[in-house]
Amino acid sequence: GQNIDQPTEMTATEGAIVQINCTYQTSGFNGLFWYQQHAGEAPTFLSYNVLDGLEEKGRFSSFLSRSKGYSYLLLKELQMKDSASYLCAVRDGNYKLSFGAGTTVTVRA
Amino acid sequence: IAGITQAPTSQILAAGRRMTLRCTQDMRHNAMYWYRQDLGLGLRLIHYSNTAGTTGKGEVPDGYSVSRANTDDFPLTLASAVPSQTSVYFCASSGGDTDTQYFGPGTRLTVL
């Protein structure tokens, strides 16, 4: 199985930057995913990293270090609509996806 | 249909009853998955299917069964529901270059 850790909650101000960290231990590694989930809705795909480094997609960026078992999701220019849960998920050597419990981000005006 | 649909949206069920949650995708993805999501525990894999005609057990398969008769449909059956199966159930399918999983809207199930 996998061990995936991420903070439970984070609060930030509109327009600010927030970084959500994720650490993992896995048997085999075939990629790391970040999903966004608004309350009462399905998870939606945000980003995918399989090689070390930074992937940028508009206001969202995701970083991966495979040797450290570490990733972060960076949310810039926060908007109220970014208030949601963010899920870190790791795909193992058997190509199965395991999820962290999620980080609830609250954006304040 | 665009993407993945699930039915019903929500259901209240008496313990001991049989229930089938439906999932259909139109993306021609080979792989499909069933997860349950409980507060504080995140998404946990129940069963999966890598291709039509094959299924496999995930992390929490007990009390659930699946079938995959064709590419599009992946129903999840609770043979005799128990209160601990109260949860939100998400179906997903994966495909494309990165084999990313995409989720259906979910079914909220309450077993009394």
Side-chain angles (χ1 to χ4, degrees), chain A residues 14-17 59 75-79 82:
Chain A
E14 199 173 13
I17 298 173
R59 294 188 297 114
L75 285 61
K76 294 177 272 191
E77 300 167 21
L78 278 173
Q79 302 175 11
D82 297 330

Side-chain angles (χ1 to χ4, degrees), chain A residues 33 35 37 40-45 48 87 91 95-102, chain B residues 33 35 37 40-43 45 48 50 90 98-105 108:
Chain A
F33 297 79
Y35 286 82
Q37 186 176 25
E41 297 183 9
T44 56
F45 169 70
Y48 167 72
L87 313 179
R91 189 161 61 193
Y95 243 65
K96 291 296 164 284
L97 204 57
S98 292
F99 286 82
Chain B
Y33 313 83
Y35 293 89
Q37 188 174 38
L41 293 179
L43 286 155
L45 183 65
Y48 64 92
N50 288 330
F90 288 103
T98 59
D99 210 32
T100 297
Q101 290 191 22
Y102 298 93
F103 287 82
R108 184 173 296 273

Side-chain angles (χ1 to χ4, degrees), chain B residues 1-36:
Chain B
I1 304 175
I4 304 178
T5 59
Q6 293 185 235
T9 303
S10 65
Q11 182 76 43
I12 299 174
L13 191 65
R17 296 297 296 268
R18 181 184 179 89
M19 176 74 192
T20 295
L21 308 185
R22 299 184 300 278
C23 174
T24 299
Q25 55 109 354
D26 67 353
M27 297 180 283
R28 308 306 294 171
H29 285 167
N30 281 326
M32 296 186 75
Y33 313 83
W34 274 105
Y35 293 89
R36 59 178 290 172

Side-chain angles (χ1 to χ4, degrees), chain B residues 34-84:
Chain B
W34 274 105
Y35 293 89
R36 59 178 290 172
Q37 188 174 38
D38 303 289
L39 204 60
L41 293 179
L43 286 155
R44 292 181 293 167
L45 183 65
I46 304 170
H47 284 288
Y48 64 92
S49 169
N50 288 330
T51 190
T54 70
T55 62
K57 293 182 180 180
E59 181 184 353
V60 288
D62 294 344
Y64 306 95
S65 63
V66 292
S67 61
R68 187 89 184 277
N70 57 60
T71 298
D72 298 345
D73 301 300
F74 191 42
L76 176 75
T77 297
L78 289 68
S80 178
V82 295
S84 61

Side-chain angles (χ1 to χ4, degrees), chain A:
Chain A
Q2 322 303 328
N3 236 358
I4 300 171
D5 290 314
Q6 49 181 131
T8 305
E9 294 180 339
M10 302 183 76
T11 302
T13 306
E14 199 173 13
I17 298 173
V18 70
Q19 177 175 314
I20 306 169
N21 295 325
C22 172
T23 58
Y24 64 89
Q25 293 173 309
T26 181
S27 46
F29 178 82
N30 276 299
L32 186 142
F33 297 79
W34 284 96
Y35 286 82
Q36 181 190 60
Q37 186 176 25
H38 285 101
E41 297 183 9
T44 56
F45 169 70
L46 284 179
S47 70
Y48 167 72
N49 295 71
V50 67
L51 299 177
D52 291 351
L54 190 68
E55 293 283 341
E56 297 188 80
K57 254 192 200 180
R59 294 188 297 114
F60 293 0
S61 304
S62 56
F63 172 82
L64 174 67
S65 168
R66 289 170 297 170
S67 62
K68 294 182 179 176
Y70 169 70
S71 173
Y72 68 71
L73 179 70
L74 197 69
L75 285 61
K76 294 177 272 191
E77 300 167 21
L78 278 173
Q79 302 175 11
M80 299 300 288
K81 67 179 182 179
D82 297 330
S83 291
S85 184
Y86 293 84
L87 313 179
C88 174
V90 176
R91 189 161 61 193
D92 66 17
N94 292 319
Y95 243 65
K96 291 296 164 284
L97 204 57
S98 292
F99 286 82
T103 299
T104 300
V105 171
T106 302
V107 181
R108 297 177 306 192

